[in-house]
Amino acid sequence: MLLQVLGTAAGGGLPQWNCACPGCTGARAHPERRRRHASLAVRVGEGRWYVVNATPDIGEQIEETPELHPGPGARQTPVAGFVLTDAELDHTLGIARLREAHDGIDVLATPPVLDAVREGLRLDAVLGPYTPVRWRELPGGVGCPLDGASGISVSAVPLSDKKPRYAANSADGGSSWSVGLRLHDPGTGRTLLYAPALAMWSDAFDEAARDADCVFVDGTFWDDEEPLRSGFSTRTATGMGHLPVTGLGGTAHRLARLPGRRLYTHLNNTNPLGNPHAEQHKQLAEWGIEVAAERMVIEL
Ligand code: MLT
Ligand code: MN
Ligand code: ZN
């Protein structure tokens, strides 16, 4: 399985357009610290890729990744489709940027997420006049083929009932609002688990994480108090649906016990890990945990 990291930041990116916090100011001064919204491309065949989450940066992310460039046909794209972990704006606004798609686009997501983007964001009605969107239901359990009958399969590991704010009134209260994606390559026997939003470390998640050769986990906040301390929120990390890296509810000590490769992604601009010189990197390295880097390539 070949993976291309397209971005590693939480909503807003690094820097965020209206933010002058130390992290964003640092990223303006040091362009190598910039991070695009969290996303990942997965190769499903020769010159064919699926993208995990459609971020507001999708156009730039494709331009920055030669494997995703169009050709040889004038409007031929190697981007075959998208699979969503949730309906949050930082993971779905990019769908609207795909309106030029010549042959339409495929979007896989769980039922509440499909309903939120199709009806809540009105993307069905808005995009319909431009390009056909083929909405596909993302199952749990053993999952379904990502692209065609053979090859990589994808399944949803239900994680939480946290809805995007624009869908707060939705009647659906299930735990498929935010899921981890389990991608399995039958050719190599390798499995990836991608969970950029983790509200709770459930037994089902623990099992999926133990079974995976590589795990990407929610690294939004370093500790639970970070959003309060930075003054941009009145909620803790956990209260915002993001288990922090360390301290109360911290995921690092759990990740440290997993057998596969472990990386944090979806870093908020307040997270000290955004600064490559921060002390916190040493602590993670001692636990054998990485921070996902922009444009890194992983061969599983
Ligand atoms: C999140 O990751 O919790 C969301 O992106 C937050 C938001 O956009 O409101
Ligand atoms: Mn987010
Ligand atoms: Zn900031």
Side-chain angles (χ1 to χ4, degrees), residues 13-25 28 232 268-270:
L14 183 67
Q16 176 175 313
W17 67 280
N18 62 344
C19 191
C21 77
C24 290
T25 305
R28 286 189 188 97
F232 83 84
N268 194 60
N269 42 50
T270 52

Side-chain angles (χ1 to χ4, degrees):
M1 191 173 350
L2 189 63
L3 310 166
Q4 284 262 3
V5 172
L6 303 183
T8 56
L14 183 67
Q16 176 175 313
W17 67 280
N18 62 344
C19 191
C21 77
C24 290
T25 305
R28 286 189 188 97
H30 306 275
E32 72 281 4
R33 295 189 196 174
R34 288 172 181 254
R35 291 177 186 262
R36 294 207 181 274
H37 287 93
S39 176
L40 185 74
V42 185
R43 194 174 71 163
V44 292
E46 195 58 43
R48 228 176 134 75
W49 297 75
Y50 261 73
V51 176
V52 176
N53 290 330
T55 86
D57 295 324
I58 183 62
E60 291 76 23
Q61 287 169 321
I62 289 173
E63 285 310 310
E64 288 160 0
T65 313
E67 288 81 355
L68 304 184
H69 287 175
R75 290 283 162 89
Q76 194 181 345
T77 172
V79 180
F82 288 79
V83 52
L84 309 179
T85 57
D86 52 65
E88 296 289 349
L89 293 177
D90 52 336
H91 295 157
T92 56
L93 282 179
I95 299 172
R97 283 192 75 179
L98 306 168
R99 69 178 180 93
E100 297 88 358
H102 206 248
D103 303 312
I105 45 169
D106 274 44
V107 179
L108 275 91
T110 61
V113 172
L114 285 181
D115 189 56
V117 294
R118 295 181 70 170
E119 306 302 329
L121 292 181
R122 287 188 72 246
L123 285 181
D124 235 355
V126 168
L127 282 174
Y130 299 89
T131 194
V133 185
R134 293 175 293 272
W135 306 100
R136 288 167 55 199
E137 202 169 298
L138 171 65
V142 292
C144 68
L146 190 51
D147 178 55
S150 61
I152 292 175
S153 67
V154 62
S155 64
V157 179
L159 294 179
S160 118
D161 59 0
K162 186 197 162 200
K163 298 165 193 168
R165 283 181 258 177
Y166 69 82
N169 295 329
S170 164
D172 194 317
S175 59
S176 298
W177 275 101
S178 174
V179 302
L181 297 177
R182 188 176 178 273
L183 293 157
H184 178 71
D185 183 346
T188 58
R190 295 300 187 102
T191 301
L192 168 79
L193 182 64
Y194 186 78
L198 189 61
M200 195 181 77
W201 193 290
S202 65
D203 290 345
F205 181 76
D206 196 65
E207 196 178 317
R210 283 185 186 286
D211 188 51
D213 299 285
C214 180
V215 190
F216 280 79
V217 169
D218 185 341
T220 311
F221 300 111
W222 175 256
D223 65 83
D224 208 32
E225 303 284 311
E226 182 184 315
L228 301 171
R229 219 173 29 244
S230 66
F232 83 84
S233 178
T234 53
R235 290 180 295 172
T236 60
T238 316
M240 292 173 75
H242 295 287
L243 290 180
V245 172
T246 59
L248 188 69
T251 53
H253 72 283
R254 292 180 181 269
L255 285 178
R257 294 200 297 262
L258 295 178
R261 188 168 175 185
R262 296 138 291 175
L263 305 102
Y264 278 117
T265 189
H266 196 270
L267 272 65
N268 194 60
N269 42 50
T270 52
N271 190 326
L273 292 171
N275 179 350
H277 305 297
E279 279 294 307
Q280 285 85 346
H281 285 279
K282 287 189 198 133
Q283 219 169 314
L284 284 192
E286 279 168 23
W287 289 319
I289 304 169
E290 300 168 63
V291 176
E294 293 289 289
R295 292 176 296 282
M296 79 192 291
V297 178
I298 293 182
E299 177 125 43
L300 267 190

